[in-house]
Amino acid sequence: MSILNYNEETKNNVVSVIKDPFIEEKIVGISIRYNGDGYPKPYWYVKVEFVNGNTKGEQMSPYRDSMEEVLLDLKQIMDSVKNK
């Protein structure tokens, strides 16, 4: 087994510290999707994508019957990241 040495040479090759991506300023994409061929019936959903440094995350709504329900889900997601 080798000894791990953390020094100036290896410092730049180290994986970054995990950073909380679920912050409003770190949103990189919002997608509202409709699947007309959904089983057993068509459905809507929203996905919000976040990136903070090397840390990525996403929040998805459950499948919904209408776009109005998805917009309410999106509002809840946005309210939750604003109130952090």
Side-chain angles (χ1 to χ4, degrees):
M1 178 180 271
S2 63
I3 297 174
L4 298 176
N5 291 317
Y6 181 78
N7 55 37
E8 289 300 317
E9 186 178 322
T10 60
K11 186 169 146 178
N12 295 328
N13 297 326
V14 176
V15 175
S16 69
V17 174
I18 296 174
K19 299 177 183 179
D20 182 5
F22 299 102
I23 302 168
E24 183 179 18
E25 295 79 26
K26 302 301 179 180
I27 293 174
V28 296
I30 297 174
S31 303
I32 296 175
R33 303 287 308 265
Y34 174 74
N35 185 343
D37 292 331
Y39 178 81
K41 61 182 179 178
Y43 60 85
W44 293 83
Y45 69 95
V46 64
K47 178 169 68 170
V48 182
E49 298 172 273
F50 303 83
V51 175
N52 190 355
N54 289 333
T55 308
K56 297 178 182 181
E58 66 182 28
Q59 180 71 40
M60 287 183 60
S61 72
Y63 295 157
R64 301 294 190 187
D65 293 331
S66 70
M67 184 175 179
E68 290 81 10
E69 292 174 290
V70 167
L71 292 174
L72 288 173
D73 289 336
L74 176 58
K75 181 173 180 350
Q76 287 182 326
I77 293 169
M78 296 305 296
D79 287 346
S80 71
V81 296
K82 286 180 183 177
N83 293 326
K84 285 187 107 178

